[in-house]
Each structure stands twice: as structure tokens, then as C-alpha cells.
Amino acid sequence: MRYAQGGGGLSPKGQVQRELVRLEAAERFAAGESTAVVAAGLRVGERQVRKWRQAWRQGGADALRSRGPHSVERLSPQQWLVLVRELERGPMAHGWSEDRCWTLGRIRLVIARRFHVGYTVQGVWHLLRRHGWSAQVPVRKALERDDAAVEVWKAEVWPRLKGPRRPVTPGSASPTRPARA
């Protein structure tokens, strides 16, 4: 689906793209296309197209225009840039030395300490998503990693833990009745 739920809100660019999809639907409604054809052509759900068609009937194409963001972002664009720089410095620069990973709770604390703005953990997630950030696997390997020990473990320990392969002979799915010959 092209018109997925934006889990953390949309950036202004995303809002414009969604509005263009809705306005294209309005043009198709005016041309007399069916709901199924519009949904398939725009790669959206029929239920959503029915909602758009109802709004279009009541208010025309203007009813499908974006009404702007649902809420006003608490951080200004300048504060967002400062936050990005703080996040790039890493958690160790902010006092978390046990690991080098950002969590939503830690980012929430940085925002509160630096800007005196309160966010919930979910609000931090929405803020990050709105600006195009996502959960990431660390790019760097751990400093403590011993590649030779990992290879030995994979070659010697893992096969013992995994156990032998099952036989390829047919068996029974029933735990009480053996297979017939």
C-alpha cells in the first residue's frame, strides 16, 4: 500500500505527497472512475477511497486538501538541528557510558535537559519518525569483539548445541503411533 499509516507522523514533504494522491483521486472521481479502479490506480485501499469520495461529494477537491500537521511540534527547527548535533555526539558525551546506544528514554532526557521541553517516550518516537529517523542497528562492531573466538564458536560449539539433523526417512506426525512400513 502506498498510503500507509505514518507511524510517527509525516514530514511536510510527506504531507504534500499524500495530498497529491488525494487530489489525483478527486480528478478520477470527476472523470467517473469507480472506487475499485481509483484504489488500484493509486495503490491505496478501497475503504480509504470511499472516505475520500464522500468528502469530495460534500466539499469538492478542497475537502481533500491537507489541513496541516495534527499538532505543533514543540522543538523549533533550530532546536531540532541542535538536537541532531547532540545525538551525533553520542550517548557517552551525555553520561551514558555502559553502552553506545541511544534509547528513546535517553533522547527524551537530552531534550528535557537541553531545551526544557517535555516529551513522552512515544512523543520522542513520533518526533524522530517525522524527521526521517528510524531504529538502526549499530554500524560499528563492538570493541570487545574477538573475530577468532566467534569463528571457533561457530565451528565447534554451535554444531554441538544444534544437534544432529533429523533422518530423511518418513515418520509419523502422531506422537503415539509409529509410521507404517
Side-chain angles (χ1 to χ4, degrees):
M1 290 261 165
R2 178 169 128 182
Y3 201 79
Q5 295 296 323
L10 286 175
S11 65
K13 181 180 176 185
Q15 288 176 348
V16 169
Q17 289 173 340
R18 280 197 181 177
E19 182 180 26
L20 292 175
V21 171
R22 291 191 303 269
L23 293 177
E24 186 176 340
E27 292 173 9
R28 290 174 177 227
F29 297 153
E33 291 186 20
S34 71
T35 299
V37 171
V38 173
L42 298 177
R43 296 184 0 228
V44 299
E46 288 187 31
R47 183 176 180 186
Q48 191 63 49
V49 173
R50 284 192 295 272
K51 289 180 181 180
W52 293 345
R53 186 180 296 274
Q54 182 179 4
W56 176 75
R57 282 188 188 128
Q58 293 173 353
D62 286 339
L64 298 177
R65 293 202 180 276
S66 176
R67 289 174 183 77
H70 291 289
S71 62
V72 178
E73 196 169 295
R74 294 183 207 160
L75 293 182
S76 69
Q78 295 81 14
Q79 288 174 320
W80 170 252
L81 294 175
V82 171
L83 178 62
V84 168
R85 284 195 300 271
E86 294 297 326
L87 295 177
E88 288 171 349
R89 288 178 52 207
M92 291 182 75
H94 294 277
W96 291 288
S97 58
E98 55 271 4
D99 60 10
R100 292 183 302 265
C101 296
W102 280 112
T103 64
L104 295 174
R106 289 177 178 179
I107 296 171
R108 184 179 71 85
L109 280 173
V110 169
I111 292 171
R113 290 175 183 165
R114 186 78 164 88
F115 308 111
H116 305 289
V117 175
Y119 270 97
T120 63
V121 172
Q122 294 86 358
V124 171
W125 172 247
H126 291 299
L127 173 71
L128 295 174
R129 289 282 307 222
R130 196 174 303 122
H131 286 278
W133 288 53
S134 63
Q136 298 290 318
V137 176
V139 176
R140 299 182 194 103
K141 293 181 182 178
L143 294 174
E144 301 83 14
R145 181 179 169 127
D146 182 0
D147 288 328
V150 170
E151 291 303 319
V152 168
W153 187 90
K154 284 176 17 182
E156 296 176 11
V157 177
W158 176 242
R160 280 186 282 139
L161 295 174
K162 188 175 175 185
R165 291 185 60 155
R166 291 178 51 165
V168 291
T169 58
S172 172
S174 171
T176 58
R177 184 173 166 197
R180 294 184 186 173

